């Protein structure tokens, strides 16, 4: 990554976080929520620096073990999280509510981008999709499906049945999830942020729209020559798109510290020295 491109990534990232905080404030978000969001951005920045030097797993067994651990944490809300209108996506850590999937799915996508991914990793990705479907999270499922399609299908051989099987399985789960929306009420500064921002005024709408575009832009800038970064860009494009058409949080622009932390993790992983899949 050139210095020039890296500079634009930092500018886009900083502006997106700042615009998000401003839009949330204008839409009426409480001061405590804004403080948690800012703290999440600071934590995410630290993780960005740490993970931007992470080396991809060289052995399939390492990726499989990592995915098993991540899957267990993502699934934990189904067993021990609070139920809100039928949905179980969160864990309570004292006074804080954390959505593990939004923090950890970038790591799942990064591990799954390895060239040595086979049936074991493919089954774990489908299992992750199943967990998201049970959590009524069509947005995360849409992002995961797009990440797999963008990162794996262009280079997949016809005989790589596991790659095509995962794509089909995720598409089916995503369609099913969109037919089962949760009944959670919309919060003005979390869901439906763009319509609410435009309803508040021209400048608020412009700020929210620009912030939403900047959520994806840094990942696109980092996606050149990297399958992992391309997958992560597709994942966040899916989250933004789902927030536009459904009752789901808008990453970074809407209030949600888990989404901010996960997004900065994704930027760090996209910047890490992960190469495209070498020839088999």
């Amino acid at each position: 990554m050139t210095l020039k491109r890296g500079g634009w990534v930092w500018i886009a990232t900083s502006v997106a976080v700042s615009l998000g905080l401003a839009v949330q404030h204008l839409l009426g978000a409480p001061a405590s929520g804004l403080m948690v969001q800012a703290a999440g951005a600071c934590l995410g920045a630290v993780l960005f620096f740490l993970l931007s030097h992470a080396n991809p797993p060289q052995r399939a067994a390492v990726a499989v073990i990592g995915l098993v651990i991540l899957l267990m944490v993502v699934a934990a809300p189904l067993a021990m999280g609070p139920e809100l209108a039928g949905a179980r996506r969160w864990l309570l850590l004292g006074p804080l509510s954390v959505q593990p999937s939004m923090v950890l799915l970038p790591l799942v996508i990064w591990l799954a981008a390895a060239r040595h991914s086979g049936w074991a990793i493919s089954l774990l990705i489908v299992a992750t999709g199943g967990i998201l479907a049970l959590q009524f999270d069509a947005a995360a499922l849409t992002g995961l499906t797009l990440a797999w399609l963008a990162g794996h299908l262009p280079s997949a051989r016809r005989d790589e049945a596991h790659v095509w099987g995962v794509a089909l399985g995720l598409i089916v789960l995503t369609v099913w999830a969109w037919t089962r929306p949760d009944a959670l009420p919309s919060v003005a500064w979390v869901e439906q942020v763009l319509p609410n921002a435009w309803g508040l005024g021209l400048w608020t709408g412009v700020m929210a729209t620009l912030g939403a575009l900047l959520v994806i832009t840094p990942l696109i800038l980092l996606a050149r020559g990297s399958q992992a970064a391309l997958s992560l860009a597709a994942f966040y494009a899916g989250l933004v798109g789902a927030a536009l058409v459904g009752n789901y949080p808008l990453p970074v622009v809407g209030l949600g510290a888990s989404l901010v932390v996960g997004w900065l993790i994704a930027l760090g992983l996209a910047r890490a020295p992960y190469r495209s899949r070498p020839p088999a």
Side-chain angles (χ1 to χ4, degrees), residues 54-268:
N55 293 314
Q58 299 301 313
R59 298 174 57 189
V62 176
V64 168
I65 292 171
L67 284 172
V68 168
I69 295 171
L70 292 172
L71 177 60
M72 292 173 63
V73 180
V74 170
L78 291 175
M80 61 186 69
E83 179 179 334
L84 298 175
R88 291 182 179 271
R89 301 179 199 144
W90 305 270
L91 291 175
L92 296 179
L93 300 179
L96 299 178
S97 177
V98 178
Q99 189 174 352
S101 60
M102 289 297 96
V103 177
L104 299 179
L105 280 177
L107 285 164
V108 170
I109 293 167
W110 184 74
L111 287 174
R115 177 62 182 93
H116 49 242
S117 62
W119 280 103
I121 289 178
S122 297
L123 290 173
L124 287 169
I125 294 301
V126 173
T128 302
I131 293 298
L132 297 175
L134 292 174
Q135 293 177 342
F136 294 91
D137 199 344
L141 250 175
T142 300
L144 182 62
T145 301
L146 291 178
W148 186 269
L149 295 178
H152 292 261
L153 258 60
S155 59
R157 302 189 306 267
R158 291 185 178 181
D159 61 344
E160 289 184 306
H162 60 92
V163 175
W164 301 97
V166 171
L168 178 60
L170 290 176
I171 290 172
V172 170
L173 286 169
T174 301
V175 172
W176 181 58
W178 277 104
T179 65
R180 303 169 62 249
D182 61 53
L184 284 170
S186 176
V187 178
W189 48 85
V190 180
E191 296 93 7
Q192 298 296 312
V193 172
L194 281 180
N196 293 333
W198 280 104
L200 192 63
L202 173 63
W203 288 111
T204 309
V206 170
M207 290 165 59
T209 302
L210 179 58
L213 292 173
L214 290 176
V215 170
I216 308 169
T217 301
L219 289 163
I220 293 175
L221 291 173
L222 293 166
R224 301 174 188 176
S226 169
Q227 177 189 348
L230 178 61
S231 295
L232 291 166
F235 174 69
Y236 280 93
L239 292 185
V240 171
L244 296 179
V245 300
N247 191 33
Y248 293 98
L250 183 61
V252 184
V253 182
L255 190 67
S258 297
L259 283 154
V260 173
V261 174
W263 179 62
L264 286 163
I265 286 175
L267 286 169

